Amino acid sequence: MPTDCLSYKQTNYFTNLILDYLDQKDALKPFYNRFPNLENFKAQIDGKQEFFTSEKRKVLVEVLKQQYSKLDTSLSVLNNIEALSQENTFTVTTGHQLNLFTGPLYFLYKIVSAINLTSALNKEYPQHKFVPVYWMATEDHDFAEINYFNLNGKKFLWNSDQPGAGSDAVGNLNTKGLEEVYELFSAEIGGGKNAEELKELFKSAYLEHSNLTNATRYLANELFKDYGLVILDADEKLLKTEFIPYLEQEIFGQISHKTTAPVAKKMHELGYGVQVNPREINVFYLANGIRERVIERDDTYFINETDSSFSKEELSAELKNNPQHFSPNVMTRPLYQEVILPNLCYIGGGGELAYWFELKDFFDAVKVPFPVLLLRNSALIATSKQDQKRKNLDISQAELFLKQHELINRKVRKISNIDIDFSPQKEFLVQQFQHLYELAAQTDITFLGAVKAQEVKQLKGLENLENRLLKAQKRKLKDEVSRIAELQNDLFPNKSLQERQTNFSEMYLEYGKGLIPALIKELDPLELNFKILTFGK
């Protein structure tokens, strides 16, 4: 498979925060612990080994065995679960929402990144064992973010009016109503070997499992069980019991707000913006079909949008007796993850890493090792036919990532039989007006404003003329313009990165069971470049 790569900066799709992190700029170093290279994992292993007890391992393995008890999986997954009881075993974790049928394509890239990093670590540190983990965001309650996927430019939507849709943790939602989505999906993809495999995968996951947690676990396991991926649902009483001391600090001491608010302010001052603004208490109450914020007012603790309230003593008792009723939010979920897993590295997208950068002081305050942060792989998948079109149109890989009007203007200028770049004329005009400025200053300084106005007017006239000529050439070269736009629209649906829009099923229809092995082979998580993959079909 031919491959190419660009720097993340060349794509124009990544923030300055992420680009500066990849460049290891000094201004960002206070916000993370260790940069993701193989050498840095030695110290990360030592720190985590000291923190993560054998008792924690015992609880984790017990929960995982229970969750996998009714799932047909591979020997490599079962061995990885068993290995987690050993003090020399560590995890690499990525997390994702329970998006319908995996959601956008980058779901695969996240997990492939975790699998490939563990492979690299297993080679580098053979005295230890490393296990890839997919953390299912079962406690999220934003149903509108996960109830659809895109295929062939169409949106396949799960309309559900069941109680709890939009208020309860999405993992609890019944899969009722997905029969309609299945029928529409089946009609869209038609027949053929790959299509039938996709239909069976969707049917087995969503029509034969009662809730979204079990459906997603089945789906992810079927896709990645051959690579030893361990899938965790952390919405478990045993695991949350381990988190009680940290929940107490959060609810009664507001520790995350005190430590992250100053960091958010500093990041804003550095010009990076703030991904998440912390609340005073970053915990939800999860029970009776609702997941709502815990709010404190005058030593009384209220559950937002409900009539429920607790005194401090009552809430403390509830926390000890029913820790499963408490759910971390975006600020405290990372801490929960690092408390219950022997984790070394978190792999996420740019937006995820942005809020992780706010958390290091929080982790330090509660004395939990802060993980290595790694940007997940990103890729553009093209067919060999699309790649040949690109070459025929004389478009470089980097040019594909330009805004469409910029790309078209550049190519029109290049293939046109007349010169539509007025830059020399503009430069000459500026030079001529410089002489006029000098003349006005020597005669009557009040004329400077009039000279400036005339310069602006004439430059604007040149720009208008240049744009009119460009439009005329676009009409003349409309076939080339149409082909350029069509190619870019195919590769960048909705003028966005393919990985953020397209579902894996669209690729699976083309490449079948060879898709994931190809991604495993080609995506190196430590390469830190944007990959362009050309499949030979």
Side-chain angles (χ1 to χ4, degrees), residues 288-329:
N288 304 318
I290 61 101
R291 181 176 182 256
E292 288 289 350
R293 291 189 294 120
V294 178
I295 301 170
E296 185 268 334
R297 288 196 301 269
D298 300 324
D299 291 327
T300 299
Y301 294 83
F302 298 88
I303 308 306
N304 192 45
E305 301 293 337
T306 75
D307 296 328
S308 299
S309 64
F310 300 85
S311 68
K312 183 175 181 179
E313 293 73 20
E314 289 170 337
L315 193 62
S316 181
E318 173 73 352
L319 184 57
K320 287 181 172 61
N321 295 329
N322 295 297
Q324 74 277 14
H325 289 171
F326 295 83
S327 175
N329 78 348

Side-chain angles (χ1 to χ4, degrees), residues 381-391 487 490-491:
I381 297 177
T383 64
S384 57
K385 184 177 180 181
Q386 288 170 328
D387 194 52
Q388 189 58 51
K389 285 182 180 179
R390 176 188 66 79
K391 293 173 181 176
L487 174 63
D490 286 345
L491 294 173

Side-chain angles (χ1 to χ4, degrees), residues 8 14-15 17-19 21-22 28 31-32 35-36 93-94 110 267 275-276 330 333-334 345-360 370-377 528:
Y8 283 105
F14 292 82
T15 64
L17 174 65
I18 295 303
L19 297 178
Y21 178 57
L22 297 177
L28 263 179
F31 304 110
Y32 62 93
F35 193 75
T93 301
T94 191
K110 280 184 167 185
M267 293 190 74
Q275 185 71 15
V276 179
V330 67
R333 188 211 65 79
C345 177
Y346 183 75
I347 297 175
E352 290 176 281
L353 296 198
Y355 70 72
W356 273 89
F357 287 137
E358 299 177 41
L359 300 176
K360 184 175 179 296
F370 193 70
V372 173
L373 300 178
L374 177 62
L375 183 67
R376 64 167 173 81
N377 281 117
L528 303 180

Side-chain angles (χ1 to χ4, degrees), residues 200-219:
E200 182 59 32
L201 186 60
F202 189 105
K203 180 181 177 183
S204 297
Y206 294 104
L207 306 190
E208 297 176 11
H209 290 86
S210 60
N211 63 38
L212 198 54
T213 292
N214 292 335
T216 305
R217 182 187 291 111
Y218 174 87
L219 177 61

